[in-house]
Amino acid sequence: WLDEMPHPYAWVKLKQNGDQERTVTPRAGHTLTPMAKGFIMFGGMDGRRNDQGNPAPNSDLFILQLGQHQTYQWSPIELDAASQVPPARTLHSAVSTSADEIFVFGGLHSAMPYQSLQDGWVLDTSCMEWKRQHFKAAPTGKHGAIARRMTGLIQDRISEDASRERRNSSGKARSKARAANRS
């Protein structure tokens, strides 16, 4: 009787259609965003290296289309000639914000030296054009300090934090001395 029970979920290995030379390389840290035209893949790491020989992310842009009879096809996306291109990145976030737009935020631009990004881009899939997003204000206050630690070179942030800590601790010592003198 177990053989007669329905199996609602099952993994099926798809077969690739199309040009094998123009397909996506194996990768990690990319995003795959569902859209009406197919799944849009952006960025990630695929084994490429920068001039110093360190692993480097990319800004590849492909569309995955699922076909009939358990098939799929990857196609590189040709951008509008006037389109800007976001810096290469991995471990970023992407979300569909409308039927034709994908918003991409942050990610890592470099692992050595460590450099994370705090920028936003929108891909308009109706014309395949990237547009950089400008945020209203830079982070400030306590939350800004945390956000600043998440961007830029770690070495720069460590020296900034140490300077700030020295200023804070010397200010606390002066406050305690004043309080003791009043007593």
Side-chain angles (χ1 to χ4, degrees), residues 1-178:
W1 63 272
L2 284 176
D3 293 337
E4 296 172 17
M5 293 191 67
H7 298 283
Y9 300 106
W11 288 101
V12 176
K13 184 170 174 97
L14 303 179
K15 296 175 210 87
Q16 183 172 354
N17 278 344
D19 187 353
Q20 300 281 335
E21 297 296 318
R22 294 171 45 101
T23 192
V24 172
T25 53
R27 68 188 57 227
H30 58 286
T31 51
L32 192 63
T33 309
M35 301 296 288
K37 297 177 179 187
F39 294 86
I40 306 293
M41 193 268 328
F42 174 65
M45 300 279 279
D46 66 354
R48 294 179 212 179
R49 303 228 171 232
N50 63 17
D51 295 339
Q52 293 78 35
N54 296 321
N58 61 66
S59 56
D60 292 350
L61 195 58
F62 280 81
I63 187 166
L64 169 64
Q65 294 172 313
L66 301 178
Q68 295 180 356
H69 310 294
Q70 301 174 350
T71 61
Y72 69 96
Q73 181 172 342
W74 286 105
S75 304
I77 293 176
E78 304 296 329
L79 293 174
D80 183 276
S83 178
Q84 301 175 17
V85 178
R89 64 192 66 216
T90 187
L91 301 174
H92 52 283
S93 298
V95 64
S96 171
T97 56
S98 74
D100 295 327
E101 293 184 332
I102 298 173
F103 175 69
V104 173
F105 178 78
L108 293 178
H109 179 63
S110 172
M112 298 180 83
Y114 180 85
Q115 183 182 9
S116 61
L117 299 166
Q118 190 175 338
D119 58 345
W121 292 80
V122 169
L123 176 65
D124 183 340
T125 61
S126 66
C127 61
M128 292 305 174
E129 183 176 61
W130 284 105
K131 296 174 189 151
R132 179 152 189 182
Q133 300 302 294
H134 298 280
F135 301 114
K136 288 186 177 184
T140 59
K142 287 185 179 182
H143 297 294
I146 292 166
R148 284 193 299 278
R149 284 190 200 115
M150 299 302 291
T151 61
L153 299 176
I154 288 176
Q155 295 86 343
D156 297 343
R157 300 302 176 206
I158 290 170
S159 61
E160 286 176 16
D161 291 344
S163 300
R164 190 175 307 109
E165 206 169 287
R166 281 192 297 272
R167 285 193 305 267
N168 289 344
S169 62
S170 64
K172 288 176 187 172
R174 283 192 297 266
S175 295
K176 285 181 183 177
R178 275 187 240 133

